[in-house]
Amino acid sequence: MPFPQTRLRRLRATHALRGLVRETSLDASDLVYPMFVAHGIDRREPIAAMPGVDRLSIAHAVAEAGEAAELGIPAVLLFGLPAAKDEEGSGAWDDEGIVQLATRAIKEAQPDLIVITDLCLCEYTSHGHCGALRPDGTVDNDATLELLAHTAVSQARAGADVIAPSDMMDGRVGFVRTALDEDGHTDTPILAYSAKFASAFYGPFREAADSVPAFGDRRGYQMDPANGSEAVREARLDVDEGADIVMVKPALPYLDLIRRIKDDTGMPVAAYNVSGEYAMVKAAAAAGYLDERAAVLEALTSIRRAGADIVITYHAKDAARWLP
Ligand code: PBG
């Protein structure tokens, strides 16, 4: 029935009525807090484009993880800055590497907090690409799979609860699944960065993780921002290879794909509200152009409304404090 019988404003009249008919929830239990752990530092190192986010020593990472747990955030996602980088990225699968050490320390202090480890080589390679290079400078997909598998096993042995491959090599989910199973980690889930786009919004992260490619860019392995159907194919392939959770990244410019992938796969879906999305809000708020709290809660709720079960965000701790 049209107006005047129907008036949608009736259910918007009070806070209580709006709460009663609200379709989407946002709770600290939906959030994952990413952290950068650096080898050989003993104090926090601020990241210029990401106010409020620092590079952390292991001790500081343990403290931050404790704070996140205290706020009701169920999981952290770890990125490592190794002592040294080399052509292959061997720091990634070092059992005494930075992510492995941080994982052990956090699990010891916070056994119930979920530790997710990012699985990629770009923070560990001297050239900054996400895999092994061929002589012509392109990334060798199949040679990289072996290195990723070693890294995944090393992370799982250190106590990682979930392994999150972000490299975008073809076939890596199946390869990592087999390697984990063969090492006895049959119950360790894989959160696959399935639809990871070659995005300008990773800029601040690359400063934070010191992973700007020394030459070229990542368009030879990360997805073309123009492609939606291909993102659905990526997610389906990862599901077939054994992914337990699929991810869309970045989040806000790709809300349509969160919805499509959720509807198409029916899988648990994560979305990564990346460094550039964070930086934009922080910069605008610092300039007085928008209300940070309202903008963050609106953005995170929108990512949930699009279909994400899990939201990975640098705003996690603030949002957890602000949520009722
Ligand atoms: C590693 C990786 C990146 C991000 C997460 N994992 C950077 C990249 O692909 O260049 C970006 C996260 C962010 O921007 O917050 N491959």
Side-chain angles (χ1 to χ4, degrees):
M1 249 184 290
F3 177 86
Q5 290 85 353
T6 299
R7 290 178 184 269
L8 294 184
R9 287 186 53 190
R10 285 180 198 125
L11 294 178
R12 295 177 196 151
T14 67
H15 179 75
L17 274 169
R18 291 191 293 273
L20 211 51
V21 297
R22 185 160 298 128
E23 298 175 36
T24 305
S25 66
L26 176 67
D27 190 80
S29 65
D30 306 319
L31 305 177
V32 175
Y33 185 57
M35 299 198 297
F36 300 96
V37 192
H39 193 279
I41 64 168
D42 54 12
R43 58 196 150 88
R44 293 165 170 275
E45 288 182 2
I47 299 159
M50 301 174 71
V53 179
D54 300 323
R55 294 200 195 93
L56 304 167
S57 65
I58 290 178
H60 282 118
V62 169
E64 286 246 7
E67 231 180 274
E70 191 77 12
L71 287 163
I73 296 166
V76 294
L77 170 62
L78 298 187
F79 296 96
L81 284 94
K85 305 189 187 220
D86 58 29
E87 183 74 16
E88 273 202 303
S90 63
W93 58 87
D94 179 352
D95 289 337
E96 302 301 314
I98 183 66
V99 160
Q100 288 81 352
L101 293 175
T103 299
R104 281 192 211 108
I106 292 171
K107 287 306 290 184
E108 200 174 297
Q110 300 289 337
D112 295 334
L113 184 71
I114 300 163
V115 171
I116 308 173
T117 49
D118 183 86
L119 172 57
C120 192
L121 302 179
C122 64
E123 296 116 69
Y124 302 90
T125 52
S126 43
H127 45 77
H129 278 288
C130 299
L133 294 186
R134 293 198 196 89
D136 68 358
T138 57
V139 173
D140 184 336
N141 191 91
D142 299 13
T144 301
L145 296 179
E146 198 69 55
L147 309 180
L148 292 168
H150 285 325
T151 306
V153 167
S154 172
Q155 292 176 343
R157 286 183 182 173
D161 298 295
V162 178
I163 307 291
S166 69
D167 51 282
M168 288 305 277
M169 297 303 118
D170 285 321
R172 94 275 208 209
V173 171
F175 215 82
V176 166
R177 181 71 273 158
T178 302
L180 288 173
D181 289 355
E182 284 174 1
D183 202 60
H185 308 285
T186 52
D187 294 333
T188 303
I190 294 178
L191 190 180
Y193 286 71
S194 300
K196 176 173 178 180
F197 288 87
S199 173
F201 293 97
Y202 307 150
F205 173 98
R206 291 181 188 169
E207 177 212 326
D210 186 24
S211 64
V212 179
F215 58 87
D217 55 45
R218 302 209 203 290
R219 284 181 292 183
Y221 38 105
Q222 298 181 348
M223 283 192 58
D224 183 336
N227 294 358
S229 298
E230 186 191 347
V232 176
R233 289 181 72 202
E234 280 282 10
R236 284 187 191 162
L237 283 169
D238 285 356
V239 173
D240 288 345
E241 291 177 31
D244 299 278
I245 304 170
V246 293
M247 195 202 291
V248 175
K249 174 188 174 187
L252 293 171
Y254 299 92
L255 293 180
D256 56 327
L257 299 178
I258 296 173
R259 170 52 55 200
R260 281 178 70 178
I261 287 174
K262 182 70 185 172
D263 289 346
D264 189 273
T265 65
M267 294 289 291
V269 172
Y272 199 144
N273 178 230
V274 301
S275 58
E277 299 174 65
Y278 177 84
M280 287 195 297
V281 172
K282 295 300 272 191
Y289 297 158
L290 48 75
D291 173 341
E292 180 176 353
R293 173 183 170 145
V296 167
L297 295 179
E298 180 179 336
L300 299 182
T301 300
S302 296
I303 296 167
R304 292 265 303 145
R305 190 198 62 240
D309 302 284
I310 301 164
V311 184
I312 302 172
T313 179
Y314 304 97
H315 298 291
K317 289 200 299 172
D318 286 334
R321 282 189 204 99
W322 292 330
L323 285 166

